[in-house]
Amino acid sequence: MADLVLARRPRCARVLAEPDVRNVPSVAAFRSAGFRRAAEVDLPAKRAALMIRERFPRGVDRPRRDRPIVSPGS
């Protein structure tokens, strides 16, 4: 689902999810899908794991908007 959101919404920088921290299989599935666990958050009905999937993972340079992307040889 995150891949679809990021593919169809180019201005979207990240996708968030908040599974219950006790739902270990769900948290593991989000990790497998490229999400990282950023924090735990108290919500009215649960304690949630705040999971974030960045378009550009940490350590990867983002394209700068002030410079056009030029392919080699153009």
Side-chain angles (χ1 to χ4, degrees):
M1 180 60 82
D3 289 332
L4 182 63
V5 170
L6 293 172
R8 294 204 177 172
R9 299 194 178 268
R11 295 185 64 179
C12 178
R14 68 188 56 87
V15 177
L16 305 177
E18 38 80 26
D20 191 306
V21 295
R22 298 169 294 182
N23 189 341
V24 176
S26 181
V27 172
F30 279 109
R31 281 188 183 262
S32 295
F35 284 75
R36 65 180 171 84
R37 188 172 179 158
E40 289 189 8
V41 183
D42 288 317
L43 299 177
K46 65 183 176 185
R47 180 147 179 93
L50 179 62
M51 308 291 292
I52 301 174
R53 164 88 185 276
E54 304 278 351
R55 176 179 295 280
F56 300 102
R58 291 179 175 190
V60 175
D61 290 333
R62 298 177 184 190
R64 291 181 49 183
R65 293 178 189 244
D66 61 336
R67 289 189 289 178
I69 298 173
V70 179
S71 60
S74 51

